Amino acid sequence: RLPRVHVVSLVANISRHWRGVARRCCGRTGKNCRGGAFRRRPRKLTHEVLSELTKLYNANPYSYLDEAQEFLMATTGTHLSLNTIAIQVKEHLHRTRQVVFAKAAQANAKERQDFLAHVSNFDDPAVFIGVDETHRNKDEIRKRAYLARGGRDPDVSKYFDPSGGVSSTLIAAANIDGFELRACRLVQRSRDHKDLDPTHGTVDSEAFIQYIREDLAPILGKFPAPNSVVLMDNASTHKDPVIREMIEAVGAFLFYTPACSPDMIFIEYDFRIYKTYLRRHSLEMKEDAMQIQMQIQMQIHLEALASVTYEKQCNIFNHIGCFQNVPVPQGKRGPCARAATMAAVVVARNAKRG
């Protein structure tokens, strides 16, 4: 009677032997051991296959792997698995699958270069202040939830009910420290034709001029003081000559970004952070009683503005690449006045809930 260790070793050797026999048999007959067609795939691709693969992705980098598989089969007669093609594209073509950001065809390269040249002439990033508006719809809430498998939770309707939200437009100004809270105005849209509140409505040229006169102009400085170079996009509501006159009257400059170039003004990135915070806390806006719901929404709005910190702004300025002498934050700094203000707002909100 053989010891158990020898029996296991003998079975392993026999299994290894017959696997080798099966592989050699398949190679000679062109059939696999299960009776289906067997096609041997070369481990190393020929120069012809790599050349055709390179031509394909140079001409159309959007091609799927199965399209590349069909293309190689048609041009070279070589059948490759999708995994093999993916490895070859990464190792030999040095390509990886990335997100493609589409740019508007109306964007003018010369205008973008001229704007970069103007902005790069300023040495202090603190002189810049970006102004723009963004819209927040009442249905900008969480769209996904963890539910029981095989069905829907009957209480899931509260995640998607937009009745408690209010559509609004935020006119804001931001500098390297984040949003300038003194120059942020929230304009609620009219609910219907019966809403006669003069503070509700849309942001047109008249409303934007009023914002410049009452909110933005008082915080602007005379160049080269902070907040003395105003950046705006070229929307029609921003092109009224009165706007430039009011800004230049306090000694500041006004520059418009090139057409269809939101990637060149930092406040567009700030709006994304702002909306992300609102979406994360959208459930909290609907869990309270109606009498304090608007107060809670306003507090969360202020917290979302304060979530754009100095460190994030420095990273955004460096990402755009045209601003000079932007400091690089070294890790996470200690609590600053902005973070302390946001924490105080959160504590007050929780205390009000009881």
Side-chain angles (χ1 to χ4, degrees), residues 130-203:
V131 179
D132 202 359
E133 60 273 345
T134 186
H135 307 287
R136 178 179 178 271
N137 296 325
K138 58 186 179 181
D139 58 347
E140 287 184 353
I141 57 178
R142 301 189 188 190
K143 300 296 194 301
R144 299 180 183 271
Y146 287 95
L147 307 177
R149 298 183 61 179
R152 287 188 174 274
D153 192 328
D155 295 331
V156 74
S157 57
K158 68 180 182 180
Y159 291 96
F160 298 92
D161 181 15
S163 59
V166 177
S167 299
S168 59
T169 299
L170 172 65
I171 315 176
N175 51 27
I176 196 170
D177 292 322
F179 281 110
E180 184 61 62
L181 301 182
R182 297 172 296 174
C184 292
R185 174 180 294 192
L186 193 63
V187 181
Q188 294 185 3
R189 301 183 192 177
S190 301
R191 294 181 178 270
D192 49 36
H193 65 281
K194 299 180 181 179
D195 189 352
L196 302 179
D197 192 331
T199 61
H200 294 179
T202 59
V203 178

Side-chain angles (χ1 to χ4, degrees), residues 311 329-335:
E311 290 79 7
Q330 301 295 332
K332 295 184 178 180
R333 303 195 309 180

Side-chain angles (χ1 to χ4, degrees), residues 194-229:
K194 299 180 181 179
D195 189 352
L196 302 179
D197 192 331
T199 61
H200 294 179
T202 59
V203 178
D204 52 10
S205 297
E206 183 179 354
F208 192 75
I209 292 175
Q210 182 182 6
Y211 163 79
I212 296 293
R213 181 186 301 110
E214 298 177 0
D215 297 339
L216 182 65
I219 68 169
L220 296 181
K222 184 177 181 180
F223 185 81
N227 299 339
S228 57
V229 179

